[in-house]
Amino acid sequence: MSLPFLPFAKPTIDEPTIAAVGEVLRSGWITSGPKVQAFEKALSDYLGGRIVRTFNSGTCTMEIALRIAGVGPGDEVITTPISWVATANVILETGATPVFADIDPITRNIDLDKLEAAITPRTKAVIPVYLSGLPVDMDRLYAIAAKHKLRVVEDAAQALGSTWNGKRIGAFGDFVSFSLQANKNITSSEGGFLVLNNAEEARLAEKYRLQGVTRSGFDGLEVDVLGGKFNMTDVAAAIGLGQFAHIDAITAHRKELARHYFACFGSDFESRYGAQLPVADFENSNWHMFQLVLPERITRAAFMEKMMEKQIGIGYHYPAIHLLKLYRERGFGEGMFPVAERVGQRIVSLPMFNTMSKDDVVRSVETVKSVLG
Ligand SMILES: *Cc1c(COP(=O)(O)O)cnc(C)c1O
């Protein structure tokens, strides 16, 4: 008898949330309205009262942050090659030039020494990514930004519930962008939100979110910037609110699962199997993913196929962005960021989701060991 398929990620929507969505659908107001406002308020409260605006994706959230920061043609923005391609695409969308800095082989996040070395007089902003929810050294990041007068757009898409020295990611810093896409720790089906610094930025965010429009009085309407169509619906906000109610329990459960992963792999796993475990951080990371870097002796495709045969889903987050065709056409290529290139070919994401059990972890680890053994 074979066990059921264990996916690498899976959203779970509880019954009260499904009921809340039903209420929105019956209410006569299904686009942006009271649920969006309530969600923005709840997120702001969680992040120490900082201003929050919601959008319909984490991608447009970052693009809007770059626009508010005044990033455009002629500017350079530094980011990591190991992220979802959205992180670099939004730089291209503004007309600015993406500049990559290689990653740290241990954290798999952008190497801050290399980030600092990549700064030029044209650098306007940096986009650090907290892969799998593990932040970079936030003190160092903001020291570099202050020294070189750079804006920071944190791609915290995976880091809701993560912390730095006891402070929540998003509760401090410059622009902080989160995603609520279906596979994130909490979801609104699709969506994102941005933490901003002041009312002026929030007004601009609202304009970019909806066609550049400012309304006043009964029939006043003005457009003075080019905005798009990026608003979150009340249907999505109702899902987000229902999910957000469990954020602390979700983060705690994922930390438990991660601890169990380490216990099951055992202290000799890396030396015996040649694979690399993630950083064992149970303080700051929200454990959005549990990622291994595979040894040289097996290809990722072969590993994924063998795991799949044994009913274990495996993800890969992410191939190096600079080797994708769109970026090769802009002058990037092999050998430029060797650590990212190696990790981008060998990194895999093991099952990790909110309703996963410790028995699932045991099964996942035993299967990894049998495939690598
Ligand atoms: C999910 C994700 C994004 C994009 O978010 P969407 O909501 O899918 O647009 C960007 N960067 C990282 C690191 C992500 O994980």
Side-chain angles (χ1 to χ4, degrees):
M1 200 191 78
S2 71
L3 290 161
F5 180 68
L6 183 65
F8 75 84
K10 186 174 86 174
T12 308
I13 313 291
D14 65 10
E15 289 304 323
T17 305
I18 293 170
V21 169
E23 265 175 51
V24 170
L25 293 176
R26 283 187 283 265
S27 73
W29 192 281
I30 60 176
T31 185
S32 311
K35 291 287 181 193
V36 164
Q37 282 190 3
F39 193 27
E40 289 177 348
K41 169 81 166 62
L43 292 166
S44 171
D45 289 347
Y46 178 78
L47 297 174
R50 292 194 70 195
I51 300 173
V52 171
R53 290 295 179 269
T54 54
F55 303 89
N56 58 24
S57 76
T59 303
C60 71
T61 300
M62 285 191 285
E63 186 184 328
I64 286 170
L66 290 174
R67 290 192 191 282
I68 297 169
V71 170
D75 297 326
E76 292 174 358
V77 179
I78 304 171
T79 192
T80 169
I82 296 293
S83 182
W84 179 225
V85 65
T87 310
N89 283 352
V90 295
I91 301 170
L92 293 178
E93 283 287 354
T94 66
T97 304
V99 173
F100 296 103
D102 209 348
I103 59 167
D104 176 307
I106 306 297
T107 66
R108 304 154 188 170
N109 282 328
I110 194 166
D111 179 327
L112 294 179
D113 288 329
K114 292 181 178 150
L115 181 154
E116 189 162 25
I119 294 169
T120 75
R122 291 164 66 165
T123 309
K124 188 124 179 193
V126 296
I127 310 184
V129 175
Y130 313 141
L131 191 68
S132 81
L134 182 73
V136 299
D137 178 336
M138 301 298 287
D139 299 326
R140 176 95 201 282
L141 170 72
Y142 277 99
I144 294 169
K147 182 172 155 199
H148 298 275
K149 300 193 164 44
L150 304 177
R151 296 305 299 263
V152 179
V153 176
E154 298 180 33
D155 182 352
Q158 304 183 357
L160 187 61
S162 297
T163 57
W164 176 254
N165 287 340
K167 287 177 293 184
R168 288 177 177 146
I169 294 299
F172 63 98
D174 193 355
F175 295 107
V176 191
S177 171
F178 293 90
S179 168
L180 298 162
Q181 185 268 343
N183 283 345
K184 302 305 199 269
N185 289 20
I186 75 161
T187 183
S188 60
S189 73
E190 295 285 358
F193 65 94
L194 181 63
V195 184
L196 305 119
N197 299 291
N198 55 52
E200 185 51 39
E201 289 179 359
R203 263 193 298 279
L204 253 181
E206 289 167 8
K207 289 186 199 177
Y208 284 126
R209 178 165 74 176
L210 209 96
Q211 315 293 2
V213 163
T214 307
R215 291 177 188 278
S216 56
F218 277 103
D219 64 349
L221 188 152
E222 189 53 273
V223 173
D224 58 353
V225 297
L226 177 58
K229 175 69 175 166
F230 301 121
N231 56 303
M232 177 179 278
T233 68
D234 263 21
V235 177
I239 301 172
L241 273 166
Q243 292 263 295
F244 182 62
H246 307 296
I247 182 69
D248 291 338
I250 285 168
T251 308
H253 182 60
R254 283 174 175 265
K255 285 185 186 183
E256 275 299 296
L257 293 174
R259 274 186 197 280
H260 206 55
Y261 258 117
F262 279 95
C264 293
F265 275 122
S267 54
D268 65 345
F269 172 74
E270 292 184 319
S271 57
R272 267 184 75 178
Y273 294 89
Q276 185 201 27
L277 291 165
V279 177
D281 173 320
F282 306 108
E283 205 47 53
N284 294 315
S285 178
N286 68 356
W287 288 98
H288 172 60
M289 296 188 287
F290 193 99
Q291 298 186 286
L292 292 183
V293 175
L294 296 173
E296 298 281 327
R297 61 195 154 74
I298 187 167
T299 66
R300 178 167 56 201
F303 177 82
M304 291 175 78
E305 188 182 358
K306 287 186 175 147
M307 292 295 288
M308 193 67 108
E309 280 167 9
K310 294 171 193 275
Q311 299 295 315
I312 308 284
I314 296 292
Y316 56 106
H317 306 90
Y318 296 95
I321 296 171
H322 70 285
L323 298 182
L324 302 173
K325 194 168 174 208
L326 182 71
Y327 291 86
R328 286 178 186 271
E329 286 169 359
R330 283 162 175 75
F332 296 103
E334 262 97 10
M336 288 179 149
F337 311 103
V339 184
E341 287 163 29
R342 181 177 59 81
V343 170
Q345 272 183 359
R346 317 207 66 81
I347 198 163
V348 291
S349 306
L350 304 186
M352 174 62 92
F353 51 89
N354 296 343
T355 52
M356 190 168 158
S357 70
K358 286 190 171 179
D359 286 346
D360 294 331
V361 172
V362 173
R363 202 179 139 202
S364 170
V365 171
E366 281 174 355
T367 312
V368 169
K369 286 180 176 174
S370 81
V371 168
L372 292 184

